[in-house]
Amino acid sequence: MRMSSSHWTAADLPEFDGRTVVVTGANSGVGFGTATALARAGAHVVLAVRDIDRGNDAARRIGGSNEVRRLDLADSDSIREFAAEWEGEISILVNNAGVAMVPEGRTKDGFEMQFGTNHLGHFALTNRLLPHITDRVVNLASGAHRVGTIDFDDLDFAESGYRPVQAYGRSKLANLLFTLELERRLRRAGSAVRSLAAHPGYAATELGTRDRNKYLVGIVHLAGRYFAQPPEKAALPTLFAATQDLPGASYVGPDGRNELHGYPTLVGRSAQASNVQTAQRLWDVSEDLTGVRFGLA
Ligand SMILES: NC(=O)c1ccc[n+]([C@@H]2O[C@H](COP(=O)([O-])OP(=O)(O)OC[C@H]3O[C@@H](n4cnc5c(N)ncnc54)[C@H](OP(=O)(O)O)[C@@H]3O)[C@@H](O)[C@H]2O)c1
């Protein structure tokens, strides 16, 4: 097992022999880089996307064996339909899709948009798909989890006032807590499936730019061009977490300064993200909010 390597790249991926991998948000950014590398390694890649046209365009560019299926993580009906139509095995589920620092908004079910999409959407999707999953679940978190807090009395910022950066941090902290509690439940259930997390560092993607002021978008793209990693490199932590023999609940990120760039390695997380009690409580609250229970119960 290589826990870290300054040289690990997509060329080191194992052969997938047609095994199925589902990547949420595979039409763009890190998800596109992940899906492309997996398809090249022989996986059958399912692009789980909210916009079928964008998905089809990405699928053409990705090539290999792939298919596009509609999934809107901000809509519990869409998640239920996606899972209900599923037949057969999923080797790996990559919970990659996300929104970041968006203006205040609500999912179709009335949850704060970032927490609702990034955490609750993937929580419901994973548990609904769990009976089909054979190898592992990889959740995309972020260094921004460190600015997040979980306030169970005000999960949607209704009392304290919406703050986009804190809301993003909360959703990414929730992704790590979900990884932890899912892993605990999988072990308790005697499952062979593992739960892991990854973050891409600073990636040049569309994150946080959709439907935003065009000057802001210009600045983000310019900064990205000079300082960020291209999506194919930013996808390496996800690919490493998805394929290497790592312990459950491992968290993979880039090995460079401040984890912004580099090659995949195991990285640390905040004390809050390691808090087992918070992880268990968040799980219970997420079950209540989504109406979806542990998929192997
Ligand atoms: N970029 C970074 O520097 C960075 C740093 C740390 C962590 N991350 C994490 O990396 C992951 C990928 O982000 P990215 O940087 O690649 O951003 P991106 O280029 O904006 O890709 C995000 C993807 O998520 C999809 N998505 C958004 N809302 C969705 C919904 N309701 N249902 C289904 N799909 C939805 C988007 O679909 P549309 O194309 O239809 O909008 C897009 O395909 C995220 O989880 C993010 O938090 C990114």
Side-chain angles (χ1 to χ4, degrees):
M1 168 175 58
R2 270 205 282 178
M3 304 290 270
S4 164
S5 166
S6 54
H7 301 296
W8 196 94
T9 70
D12 296 312
L13 281 169
E15 174 54 50
F16 270 76
D17 294 321
R19 278 182 291 133
T20 297
V21 182
V22 176
V23 183
T24 68
N27 61 289
S28 171
V30 178
F32 180 82
T34 302
T36 304
L38 291 170
R40 283 188 189 144
H44 175 66
V45 182
V46 177
L47 288 73
V49 299
R50 62 175 163 177
D51 185 299
I52 289 291
D53 289 340
R54 281 205 282 269
N56 284 334
D57 177 56
R60 273 191 293 277
R61 288 180 286 131
I62 288 169
S65 172
N66 70 50
E67 66 183 285
V68 178
R69 293 196 185 197
R70 189 172 179 281
L71 171 72
D72 183 352
L73 288 157
D75 176 359
S76 59
D77 290 339
S78 171
I79 297 168
R80 198 182 53 245
E81 282 160 25
F82 183 94
E85 285 165 14
W86 198 273
E87 284 174 8
E89 285 186 354
I90 299 170
S91 178
I92 303 167
L93 169 63
V94 181
N95 287 324
N96 162 85
V99 287
M101 292 164 270
V102 290
E104 187 165 18
R106 300 265 156 189
T107 66
K108 239 181 149 187
D109 305 283
F111 305 126
E112 185 279 308
M113 184 59 83
Q114 302 191 67
F115 187 76
T117 305
N118 300 354
H119 169 59
L120 291 176
H122 282 125
F123 175 90
L125 178 74
T126 303
N127 280 303
R128 288 192 183 281
L129 291 179
L130 213 43
H132 299 279
I133 298 174
T134 57
D135 183 347
R136 65 187 79 186
V137 177
V138 179
N139 299 306
L140 267 283
S142 166
H145 82 271
R146 294 179 187 279
V147 302
T149 55
I150 305 285
D151 178 354
F152 286 104
D153 296 324
D154 189 24
L155 274 178
D156 60 358
F157 294 90
E159 300 291 317
S160 55
Y162 180 69
R163 286 161 293 152
V165 175
Q166 277 74 17
Y168 180 62
R170 176 171 296 176
S171 74
K172 293 285 118 180
L173 174 59
N175 291 149
L176 282 175
L177 292 166
F178 170 56
T179 303
L180 198 61
E181 178 62 8
L182 176 61
E183 174 62 21
R184 200 183 68 84
R185 285 177 179 250
L186 288 167
R187 295 292 63 77
R188 209 173 51 181
S191 168
V193 175
R194 268 178 272 191
S195 164
L196 300 99
H199 83 85
Y202 178 21
T205 67
E206 300 302 315
L207 197 70
T209 63
R210 285 198 217 298
D211 308 323
R212 304 300 278 273
N213 174 301
K214 66 177 181 188
Y215 297 108
L216 173 71
V217 173
I219 292 167
V220 170
H221 282 159
L222 195 63
R225 194 179 308 160
Y226 289 105
F227 300 115
Q229 313 197 88
E232 57 274 18
K233 182 137 186 230
L236 293 179
T238 306
L239 296 167
F240 194 81
T243 58
Q244 300 304 292
D245 186 15
L246 301 169
S250 290
Y251 184 29
V252 181
D255 62 0
R257 202 162 157 231
N258 297 324
E259 298 172 22
L260 294 175
H261 306 92
Y263 292 90
T265 188
L266 292 180
V267 294
R269 68 196 87 189
S270 69
Q272 283 193 89
S274 314
N275 188 312
V276 173
Q277 284 76 32
T278 311
Q280 290 177 1
R281 188 169 170 198
L282 179 65
W283 184 285
D284 292 341
V285 169
S286 303
E287 282 193 349
D288 289 345
L289 290 172
T290 60
V292 180
R293 310 278 160 213
F294 177 49
L296 300 185

